[in-house]
Amino acid sequence: MIDNFALAISHGLMLLAAWLLLRRPDLDHEAGPGDTVEASKKDRKSAIGEKPGA
C-alpha cells in the first residue's frame, strides 16, 4: 500500500516548485534584437530583487 503522507509530500513539493517557477518575473521578458547581454542581466537582477552590484 502506498503511504498517503509520502504521496502528499512529494506532490506538494512539486506543486510548490512549479508555483515558484511560474512566478518568476524574468519569464515575462523576451529579449529584443537591440537588447544587450549587460542590459538583460541588469533587468533580471532588478526584477529578482537583488541589490545592484551584488
Side-chain angles (χ1 to χ4, degrees):
M1 186 168 127
I2 297 175
D3 187 17
N4 287 333
F5 180 69
L7 198 62
I9 291 291
S10 62
H11 281 79
L13 288 174
M14 287 190 290
L15 182 65
L16 178 66
W19 184 64
L20 290 174
L21 285 172
L22 289 174
R23 284 190 27 183
R24 289 180 58 116
D26 56 339
L27 291 177
D28 292 335
H29 178 71
E30 199 168 310
D35 292 346
T36 62
V37 175
E38 292 176 5
S40 65
K41 284 183 182 178
K42 186 177 181 181
D43 290 342
R44 194 176 319 133
K45 282 186 178 181
S46 64
I48 294 173
E50 293 182 16
K51 295 179 182 175

